[in-house]
Amino acid sequence: MTKPVATTGQLVEPAAWVALPDVAEQLGLPITRVHQMIRDHVLVAVRRDGVLRIPVELFATADVRKHLPGVLTLLRDAGYTDDEVLRWLYTADDTLPGCPATALSGARATEVKRRAQALGF
């Protein structure tokens, strides 16, 4: 699957929005644990078409992206809402491979975390 290409500042649509029961199944967890992960800011979910969903890039096949909880904490500490968090994660940046959400799965994850930290100052 090819990723959408965008210039800096444009929103990049996630590859897919996954409903919470499907996230639970992919992570091998009960749905109640996924809800707890959202409350604990380990994952972020927003309503799409009336259903809570999570972008597929935010969790690996069997786990949440390693740096995601830290980035979510930094953005929340900077006053971001769930919608604003997702907007930041999916805003294209030419200095990263696509956008922060996709960079979390690669070598640039630490850079994404550093940028999120800088937003609090």
Side-chain angles (χ1 to χ4, degrees):
M1 175 181 283
T2 60
K3 295 283 182 196
V5 178
T7 60
T8 299
Q10 288 182 318
L11 289 179
V12 176
E13 186 66 24
W17 289 95
V18 184
L20 298 190
D22 296 328
V23 172
E25 183 178 324
Q26 284 186 295
L27 295 177
L29 299 171
I31 188 73
T32 55
R33 178 66 182 121
V34 174
H35 283 282
Q36 186 64 46
M37 292 170 79
I38 293 166
R39 282 191 299 275
D40 292 343
H41 308 299
V42 174
L43 284 171
V44 61
V46 294
R47 292 208 179 272
R48 293 290 185 257
D49 301 322
V51 177
L52 269 178
R53 298 177 190 272
I54 299 172
V56 71
E57 291 90 357
L58 300 185
F59 59 95
T61 304
D63 205 4
V64 173
R65 295 287 178 211
K66 178 181 175 182
H67 295 280
L68 180 64
V71 169
L72 293 178
T73 297
L74 291 166
L75 293 173
R76 289 193 179 285
D77 287 351
Y80 281 53
T81 65
D82 289 345
D83 286 323
E84 292 167 333
V85 164
L86 285 170
R87 180 177 302 279
W88 186 83
L89 286 170
Y90 284 94
T91 297
D93 187 328
D94 290 338
T95 63
L96 295 171
C99 62
T102 56
L104 281 173
S105 64
R108 305 284 298 187
T110 303
E111 175 64 13
V112 171
K113 202 169 183 177
R114 186 195 64 74
R115 291 178 188 194
Q117 185 176 23
L119 293 172
F121 295 100

